[in-house]
Amino acid sequence: DSPMDASGSFHLNDIQFQSGGNAFSSVEAAAAQNQSLLWGVYRPNLYFGTRPRLPNSVMTGLMWFGTQDYSGIDNIRHGCEEGDKFEKYGWLKHDGRSFGVQQLKDTRNNVELTTDFIKIPGGEHGGSWGARISGKPIRQGEPMSISAIYYMGIDGEGNFDINTKKFAPKSPVQFGGNTPDLGNFEFTVEQTKGADKSSPIHYLSAELPLNSVWRMKDFSREMIIQSAQKAQDSGRQFTPQQLFTLPSQSLGETSNLLALQMSYDGEFEFEVRFNSKSSPSPVTSATMSSGLSRAIDAFDKRFERTFHLKESGYSDSMVDFAKATMSNLIGGMGFFHGSAIVDESPTFEDGQNEHLEGPVARRPSPDPQMTLPASLFTAVPSRSFFPRGFYWDEGFHQSLMGQWDNDLSLEVIESWYNRQDNDGWIQREQILGDEARSRVPKEFQVQYPEHANPPTFLQAISCYIARLNNVTQVYSVDALGDSASLDHELDVTNARLVNRELATEYLSNLYPKLRTNYQWMRRTMQGKIREYGRHSRSRMEGYRWRGRTMTHTLTSGLDDYPRAASPHVAELHVDLLSWIGFMSRNLQDIATLIGEEDDAEEFEEHYANIKANIHDLHWNNNEKTFCDVTVDENEDSVHVCHKGYVSLFPVLMGLVDADSDELGHILDLMYDPEEMWTPYGLRSLSAKDEFFGTGENYWKGPIWININYLAVHSLKTNYVGKGPHQAKAKKIYNELRDNLIHNIFKEYDRSGFVWEQYNDKTGYGQRSHPFTGWTSMVVLMMQMGRAE
Ligand code: 6A9
């Protein structure tokens, strides 16, 4: 018997799991997660850097600069910067747990770098790992002179065993160390190509205070300039390579930092190996090589098994594009730790000062404070421009990542909900610690506890539930023999997918937080509804984004999208009501799953009321679209209609019935080239809107992939094959999906990157890059397939 009931929801307790399925106990599962996710390239703001998922511990990183002339020192490569003008960079393959392969083309320095990362599990401290860094000329025949610095530091308790009095590094450089949380370990740095025994290795050893390893670029540069000045004082002539070197000295009696500098003319390769002493299986050059080739092979097979792209007829280059896009999202995961800045001072009551703009003006006495340090494990929208966690971006990221590695994604989701305060608020932008803060202009640093952001994590969680549902079907059909051949063996990536107890435990632990967050949204974003629709029972369901200024509603995520001409407390936002309806429905599913029947009933009622109010409050029958609401001079409710993404939300969230007239009109709006349709995806604002393409033109025309993904996803799940508009829905689904995939791929091919948004006239990628945040939803769209 299928555990699904007629409505399509199912109960975890009814699921028959395959015996011999994942037999992890909950403690074992948690330990396995911690072990396999302890180490990573969790410093995504850097071109290459490693750290464990521990607050004050070992951090390593790579820097390099060109020595073909004397200006290279002013352009040390370290943090991902668009100004470095690489023609391409990013993880081509990365599985999130065991390995990654990255390629970087530093055009100005004529060097193509490869950074391979491989972990060798074993022991009690997250195992060992190795990095292999290699470089070769991009343009053969032209000179390539590179000075590379690799640094290893401890940002907290612990020491390196380096004899600071007489340290004379020679490849392989080997030294031990220890920290309270990693125990004893050993680092080895070995030059494997492009150097011989006589090649000098310059170094710097130091005893650094807490919270300074992240400043290594500035620190190294300063030391190099100092020693260059000394050298020049001697009156002799030096090549840039001879001149710009670390001073080869130790600052301090003991060491918690070692930087090694190796210089090359032409091809090179070196390895950095970290051996955990508790592990019986050491990482060596040979185990790295064999581990890497095994991991790459497994990755390719698993990618096809997960997404079936080759099988669906995609070319090799498109499959490689999909791999690189997902890998840079996963290789862009970070572990962040530190204080944020929050202003919890009271705001004016609604009704007072109702025309005041923005969070600062709304506070009689602003009081920004540093919070206690906290941690977050998350992917980031863009390694170069926004290398930190963003709430609504992350829900998209996890819809894809969960498909690849279920339990990794659940770790990230849990990490975010651990950032929720008792009221139910989660900071929209997670700027944790000085390193993260150093990338954010002052005026954007403060977070305000009345600021929300779209609840996309519920999308990620609903994807998890869909996967559970799928596994259930696989395991509950009679053909158990067949399902056994599927890869649901004891596997750390899907323990909480194939094991009923673990899934129940996870969702039951998460659920109270989801509910608190939902209640917080409903309470604090509550709107003032002036006119009740015909469904008086639904009068409460109307909402308004806080944190609005005349020109921006950052909290909505659609920053400069046009809203009512001036902010007003009687405004109602149709995208927000849709999001809250989306929450009600998803929470109902989750509550049902874990047996919270009463709650489920309550959510169901909210949902029905919201659906009614979407229509009653927000549908404009003259414009044939959904609109925001505000009041006019006479305080009468009026619609504010700017056709574009905001108008689509009720359809994006599946709140509009397949057989409604409204759906037909919204589909027409999408498909009209004079409004939203382009050959590259749906533009954010109708070309007919008075504000189209004006001002900052961020969400006033350009094409964004997150919203396009929601459109494609909703068309497929809610409207294709249903009701009187199904032919139109299918046509739009197929064409839109094709347009998006082909343009994003074409632009990747042309420019080397995926982008933050795409130009609605040319299809060109624009703004931040690489932006493998929600633009990576393209992989899910590839997987979705055509509707026949
Ligand atoms: C500015 C500038 C070096 C804007 O992808 C993250 C967010 C989205 O959540 C949002 O919907 N992006 C979108 O409208 C980028 C936000 C960057 C804000 C910080 C700092 C950096 O200067």
Side-chain angles (χ1 to χ4, degrees):
D1 289 8
S2 165
M4 296 241 279
D5 64 27
S7 71
S9 57
F10 64 99
H11 305 267
L12 272 175
N13 286 333
D14 302 337
I15 300 173
Q16 291 281 312
F17 279 89
Q18 176 194 29
S19 59
N22 197 306
F24 274 135
S25 76
S26 119
V27 173
E28 283 165 346
Q33 296 304 328
N34 283 339
Q35 279 291 303
S36 60
L37 295 173
L38 187 73
W39 274 105
V41 287
Y42 298 142
R43 305 182 69 198
N45 56 317
L46 305 188
Y47 289 123
F48 184 85
T50 69
R51 65 173 296 169
R53 276 201 312 167
L54 298 166
N56 294 104
S57 194
V58 172
M59 302 219 280
T60 83
L62 170 71
M63 292 185 260
W64 73 94
F65 58 95
T67 51
Q68 64 278 8
D69 57 37
Y70 292 89
S71 72
I73 190 64
D74 295 325
N75 294 294
I76 300 179
R77 316 309 200 188
H78 182 232
C80 303
E81 310 251 3
E82 286 180 17
D84 290 343
K85 296 229 178 342
F86 289 4
E87 62 187 86
K88 197 180 174 68
Y89 70 92
W91 293 96
L92 300 177
K93 295 181 183 181
H94 198 303
D95 71 356
R97 287 186 199 262
S98 71
F99 92 109
V101 175
Q102 183 181 221
Q103 184 195 43
L104 309 104
K105 290 194 180 177
D106 180 353
T107 320
R108 286 199 203 152
N109 286 317
N110 191 29
V111 63
E112 178 182 325
L113 283 133
T114 306
T115 66
D116 295 339
F117 178 68
I118 177 86
K119 280 158 68 181
I120 313 278
E124 285 104 55
H125 300 285
S128 304
W129 57 265
R132 183 176 285 159
I133 317 287
S134 61
K136 61 175 190 210
I138 298 175
R139 301 172 296 273
Q140 296 294 330
E142 283 182 37
M144 174 199 120
S145 302
I146 294 296
S147 195
I149 297 176
Y150 203 92
Y151 65 87
M152 296 141 279
I154 302 175
D155 217 351
E157 273 180 67
N159 271 110
F160 291 156
D161 308 328
I162 289 175
N163 185 341
T164 53
K165 296 263 153 47
K166 43 177 183 185
F167 185 63
K170 254 209 215 113
S171 175
V173 183
Q174 231 160 30
F175 61 96
N178 66 86
T179 68
D181 43 29
L182 292 171
N184 291 316
F185 53 78
E186 188 177 70
F187 269 110
T188 305
V189 179
E190 181 171 15
Q191 294 187 282
T192 39
K193 234 181 249 165
D196 55 39
K197 291 259 179 273
S198 66
S199 311
I201 297 180
H202 296 277
Y203 77 95
L204 176 69
S205 154
E207 209 182 318
L208 291 184
L210 196 65
N211 196 21
S212 31
V213 178
W214 72 270
R215 296 174 192 276
M216 267 313 284
K217 174 175 155 176
D218 291 342
F219 185 42
S220 308
R221 188 172 173 281
E222 219 169 278
M223 298 305 291
I224 291 173
I225 299 276
Q226 272 180 27
S227 59
Q229 266 156 6
K230 259 190 219 147
Q232 271 177 327
D233 289 347
S234 75
R236 284 195 288 137
Q237 284 290 314
F238 294 93
T239 64
Q241 197 182 85
Q242 294 163 329
L243 191 62
F244 297 121
T245 61
L246 288 168
S248 290
Q249 76 183 74
S250 296
L251 310 175
E253 302 279 288
T254 61
S255 171
N256 61 7
L257 172 102
L258 181 66
L260 298 170
Q261 182 183 20
M262 297 153 284
S263 297
Y264 304 99
D265 294 303
E267 262 187 63
F268 67 87
E269 182 188 273
F270 66 88
E271 291 175 0
V272 179
R273 303 192 290 265
F274 172 92
N275 262 300
S276 170
K277 288 290 197 185
S278 74
S279 170
S281 20
V283 52
T284 62
S285 206
T287 56
M288 275 175 70
S289 297
S290 58
L292 269 166
S293 68
R294 252 201 322 274
I296 289 170
D297 189 51
F299 175 89
D300 290 336
K301 292 201 175 106
R302 179 170 153 208
F303 195 86
E304 180 57 20
R305 202 173 62 215
T306 307
F307 299 106
H308 306 284
L309 299 187
K310 245 186 143 87
E311 185 190 317
S312 324
Y314 286 101
S315 66
D316 287 350
S317 55
M318 285 188 89
V319 173
D320 286 345
F321 150 74
K323 285 178 184 168
T325 303
M326 184 196 80
S327 295
N328 202 51
L329 172 69
I330 291 182
M333 294 186 70
F335 178 79
F336 300 90
H337 180 82
S339 298
I341 304 178
V342 170
D343 189 339
E344 293 186 336
S345 66
T347 55
F348 292 116
E349 288 298 307
D350 273 0
Q352 261 180 292
N353 299 289
E354 55 191 33
H355 296 287
L356 279 182
E357 286 186 50
V360 179
R362 289 189 61 77
R363 296 194 135 69
S365 34
D367 184 26
Q369 296 280 344
M370 297 292 266
T371 64
L372 290 173
S375 303
L376 182 69
F377 183 43
T378 185
V380 304
S382 165
R383 290 173 57 196
S384 59
F385 228 63
F386 324 123
R388 55 188 171 276
F390 285 82
Y391 184 77
W392 88 302
D393 296 67
E394 200 55 28
F396 287 101
H397 304 165
Q398 293 315 314
S399 309
L400 171 58
M401 275 176 55
Q403 183 88 351
W404 172 252
D405 185 329
N406 183 75
D407 285 34
L408 170 58
S409 175
L410 297 188
E411 287 284 314
V412 173
I413 293 171
E414 192 179 324
S415 179
W416 270 90
Y417 281 98
N418 285 341
R419 298 285 297 114
Q420 179 168 300
D421 73 5
N422 291 336
D423 291 337
W425 175 57
I426 301 177
Q427 291 160 35
R428 178 172 66 91
E429 196 173 338
Q430 298 279 332
I431 313 170
L432 302 179
D434 294 340
E435 182 173 18
R437 204 152 24 248
S438 72
R439 305 291 295 260
V440 188
K442 262 229 138 46
E443 65 271 26
F444 295 113
Q445 289 180 0
V446 185
Q447 302 294 304
Y448 299 95
E450 74 275 19
H451 287 194
N453 206 207
T456 52
F457 273 103
L458 285 170
Q459 171 80 14
I461 297 165
S462 100
C463 291
Y464 172 41
I465 291 174
R467 290 193 297 275
L468 280 170
N469 197 344
N470 222 348
V471 165
T472 307
Q473 288 167 354
V474 169
Y475 284 125
S476 59
V477 288
D478 335 309
L480 261 189
D482 277 357
S483 69
S485 66
L486 288 166
D487 267 88
H488 292 306
E489 73 271 11
L490 195 72
D491 180 344
V492 69
T493 67
N494 64 27
R496 288 177 289 198
L497 183 57
V498 301
N499 181 314
R500 182 184 66 205
E501 282 76 31
L502 297 184
T504 312
E505 180 190 84
Y506 182 84
L507 285 171
S508 307
N509 287 340
L510 193 60
Y511 175 72
K513 291 189 177 171
L514 300 178
R515 194 181 52 185
T516 308
N517 174 249
Y518 173 70
Q519 290 164 342
W520 175 83
M521 290 285 281
R522 292 169 59 81
R523 190 174 65 245
T524 66
M525 308 293 130
Q526 181 70 57
K528 293 190 189 307
I529 304 177
R530 301 280 165 121
E531 280 168 19
Y532 306 132
R534 56 196 149 84
H535 305 261
S536 57
R537 66 189 168 126
S538 61
R539 66 175 60 162
M540 293 302 287
E541 306 294 345
Y543 299 92
R544 169 171 61 94
W545 292 111
R546 304 307 199 261
R548 159 116 151 72
T549 69
M550 201 74 106
T551 53
H552 284 79
T553 313
L554 294 182
T555 44
S556 75
L558 315 172
D559 301 13
D560 64 335
Y561 191 95
R563 305 280 180 167
S566 113
H568 196 282
V569 291
E571 236 172 290
L572 298 171
H573 297 126
V574 64
D575 51 332
L576 181 52
L577 180 59
S578 307
W579 280 120
I580 292 184
F582 166 84
M583 290 181 103
S584 315
R585 194 185 52 226
N586 281 298
L587 279 170
Q588 187 195 335
D589 288 349
I590 300 166
T592 308
L593 255 174
I594 61 171
E596 296 282 350
E597 314 292 346
D598 293 351
D599 285 3
E601 258 172 51
E602 192 189 332
F603 299 137
E604 189 174 10
E605 193 185 320
H606 294 167
Y607 182 68
N609 291 340
I610 289 170
K611 265 185 85 165
N613 268 8
I614 286 277
H615 182 275
D616 292 354
L617 296 173
H618 293 286
W619 179 255
N620 184 302
N621 213 26
N622 300 323
E623 300 271 353
K624 304 284 182 221
T625 196
F626 294 103
C627 303
D628 284 347
V629 174
T630 189
V631 290
D632 63 15
E633 320 76 76
N634 310 319
E635 300 279 300
D636 289 331
S637 274
V638 288
H639 278 143
V640 179
C641 302
H642 294 287
K643 290 182 184 171
Y645 288 168
V646 164
S647 334
L648 304 185
F649 266 87
V651 168
L652 300 182
M653 301 288 115
L655 294 159
V656 174
D657 289 332
D659 59 7
S660 65
D661 289 345
E662 283 92 335
L663 177 65
H665 292 298
I666 295 296
L667 293 177
D668 290 342
L669 170 64
M670 286 186 183
Y671 201 54
D672 184 346
E674 294 185 8
E675 307 253 31
M676 298 186 70
W677 190 260
T678 85
Y680 320 107
L682 299 173
R683 58 164 75 89
S684 41
L685 190 62
S686 162
K688 285 186 172 162
D689 191 87
E690 56 176 313
F691 296 113
F692 170 69
T694 61
E696 191 188 336
N697 193 19
Y698 200 29
W699 291 84
K700 290 195 177 104
I703 297 160
W704 292 82
I705 305 310
N706 60 335
I707 304 293
N708 275 282
Y709 165 74
L710 290 178
V712 165
H713 184 264
S714 180
L715 284 170
K716 174 157 189 183
T717 47
N718 301 309
Y719 304 115
V720 169
K722 286 176 202 135
H725 311 291
Q726 57 175 284
K728 217 186 276 178
K730 186 169 92 181
K731 193 170 162 62
I732 296 180
Y733 168 77
N734 281 331
E735 289 182 28
L736 179 57
R737 189 182 148 268
D738 268 4
N739 288 347
L740 290 159
I741 294 170
H742 286 104
N743 189 58
I744 299 168
F745 171 67
K746 186 197 88 210
E747 281 301 288
Y748 174 79
D749 207 38
R750 183 187 68 79
S751 68
F753 294 104
V754 298
W755 296 77
E756 183 178 10
Q757 50 171 232
Y758 293 86
N759 188 287
D760 67 302
K761 288 174 204 73
T762 60
Y764 273 37
Q766 55 188 32
R767 300 243 179 188
S768 298
H769 62 281
F771 190 101
T772 36
W774 57 41
T775 304
S776 63
M777 294 295 101
V778 66
V779 179
L780 287 181
M781 293 195 269
M782 289 169 82
Q783 183 195 20
M784 278 179 183
R786 280 184 66 81
E788 297 305 337

